[in-house]
Amino acid sequence: MTVRVGVIGVGNIGTAHARNLARRVSGAQVTAVFDADSHRAGAVAVEVGAVPVSSADELIDRADVDAVVIASPDHLHAAQALECIAAGKPTLCEKPLAPDLPDALAVMAAEVTTGRRLVTLGFMRRFDPGYADLKHRLASGEFGEPLLTRNIHRNKEVGPTQTTAMSLTNSAVHEIDINRWLLGTEYASAQVISGRPGPHGASGLKDPFLVFLRTVDDVIVEIELFGNSRYGYEVRCEVVASEGSLVLGDGSFISATQGGHRGHAVHAQWLSRFDDAYRLELQAWIDSVLAGAATGPSVWDGYAATAVAHACIAAADSGETIPVCLIEKPCLY
Ligand code: ISE
């Protein structure tokens, strides 16, 4: 059987998803593409053998669309996820579930009312072989109890309209989620520290800054977020545990030594760093659609990440340590 997928939004990530579904994922076919830029939608549709359609609503309602990928701008995710839930179509929604908490809660309420999981969140790092290995090694117990994690998330550059809140809801959500997943816990509080901003960010943007999250079982998660590193894209994670430590770098480049220098290349952006993760995420999603039961990151995970990002926004604005308060977890999750 083949899952016929409609892709909403074909910017960088939506195009990558459409191409992966068309060429590198078994059991999938892209049948419809929508983008606010109709030329872009047309070009991607031709490339993947789909039809371009004129609205997200039309795409969701089409009879030849069994499942939907939402890769539109962040602020549209929740409304489109609600439509997919109303249409009863399995959906892979890019992160964040919503930049605002009421929108995230509305999606969760709608899904809970239907009584079945339809929306999978695009927290693709959970599918990255490096992070998966980190989780596996921690779970083995060989390294003892995790005590703290240190994370680095640097982009080469962010747009001129980037705000500190966007750095948290759009970028830091990855670390917020992946550390919840690695540690198998929730957060209790958030603190944000920033100092002198780099010269390349918009006025008022905190960049770089540090986030300190404390989990309910007292593990510290430190995150450095830097949107304008200028040199490239870099994501790292170190887990300091009671019986050893584990470091995840990008691991995919050969280190060359020559002429008195030793070094290796750096990714320019996230699509190449997480190429495997994006492909494996889509394959797992298609497999779950074929099996008729959603697996993978849930709407609860999307809500939790947005809730923690908002505690961080309040912490960044006030300079205080802000408690993280989650609603009671619905049985569905
Ligand atoms: C971007 O939207 C992503 O999802 C990337 O994975 C992340 O590293 C980047 O910071 C985000 O802006």
Side-chain angles (χ1 to χ4, degrees):
M1 247 184 73
T2 299
V3 181
R4 298 166 303 171
V5 182
V7 179
I8 302 176
V10 281
N12 286 338
I13 189 60
T15 300
H17 284 327
R19 288 179 177 153
N20 273 335
L21 285 164
R23 299 183 196 141
R24 300 167 80 200
V25 169
S26 62
Q29 179 193 357
V30 182
T31 47
V33 170
F34 167 70
D35 194 280
D37 177 339
S38 56
H39 294 294
R40 192 154 62 185
V44 175
V46 167
E47 189 186 327
V48 301
V51 292
V53 300
S54 53
S55 73
D57 295 359
E58 182 191 333
L59 180 143
I60 293 165
D61 288 341
R62 282 179 73 97
D64 64 355
V65 168
D66 306 315
V68 180
V69 169
I70 298 176
S72 51
D74 293 2
H75 68 281
L76 299 175
H77 291 179
Q80 290 166 349
L82 284 172
E83 286 181 40
C84 293
I85 291 170
K89 299 205 173 169
T91 301
L92 179 74
C93 177
E94 261 307 327
K95 40 56 60 179
L97 174 57
D100 292 322
L101 260 184
D103 291 342
L105 284 165
V107 178
M108 185 153 56
E111 196 178 56
V112 167
T113 303
T114 69
R116 80 178 170 117
R117 280 194 51 193
L118 277 167
V119 181
T120 299
L121 257 290
F123 286 126
M124 83 300 177
R125 286 197 196 174
R126 296 186 184 201
F127 297 89
D128 175 63
Y131 276 110
D133 193 23
L134 208 49
K135 185 163 174 72
H136 178 71
R137 284 171 189 239
L138 279 175
S140 75
E142 200 189 332
F143 290 82
E145 295 295 319
L147 305 174
L148 57 91
T149 78
R150 320 184 81 157
N151 303 266
I152 283 178
H153 185 160
R154 298 183 190 141
N155 280 293
K156 188 170 184 181
E157 58 188 346
V158 289
T161 56
Q162 180 85 1
T163 61
T164 306
M166 285 160 69
S167 299
L168 287 160
T169 59
N170 179 277
S171 292
V173 278
H174 280 298
E175 274 75 21
I176 292 170
D177 179 71
I178 203 70
N179 281 278
R180 279 178 76 234
W181 179 75
L182 280 175
L183 300 169
T185 188
E186 297 290 1
Y187 300 109
S189 67
Q191 208 183 341
V192 170
I193 294 178
S194 60
R196 174 198 285 219
H200 304 295
S203 149
L205 180 70
K206 295 186 196 308
D207 193 55
F209 62 87
L210 296 174
V211 175
F212 293 93
L213 300 170
R214 184 183 292 276
T215 69
V216 291
D217 43 356
D218 249 356
V219 176
I220 302 298
V221 171
E222 182 203 56
I223 306 165
E224 178 210 300
L225 224 292
F226 192 13
N228 286 292
S229 78
R230 282 317 198 252
Y231 66 78
Y233 182 74
E234 189 169 16
V235 162
R236 283 191 252 150
C237 175
E238 176 171 13
V239 181
V240 181
S242 57
E243 312 304 325
S245 75
L246 294 158
V247 176
L248 172 66
D250 62 33
S252 52
F253 289 113
I254 289 171
S255 176
T257 307
Q258 199 173 44
H261 291 282
R262 174 172 299 155
H264 61 79
V266 178
H267 287 281
Q269 36 80 326
W270 61 88
L271 282 173
S272 58
R273 164 63 184 88
F274 287 108
D275 184 54
D276 279 342
Y278 284 119
R279 179 179 53 80
L280 294 168
E281 168 193 58
L282 284 172
Q283 188 65 67
W285 177 60
I286 291 295
D287 291 349
S288 77
V289 175
L290 286 170
T295 55
S298 67
V299 165
W300 172 261
D301 296 316
Y303 153 73
T306 295
V308 175
H310 275 271
C312 294
I313 293 169
D317 288 346
S318 65
E320 307 287 319
T321 298
I322 302 292
V324 171
C325 303
L326 299 182
I327 65 164
E328 198 177 323
K329 194 171 178 172
C331 315
L332 182 61
Y333 309 107

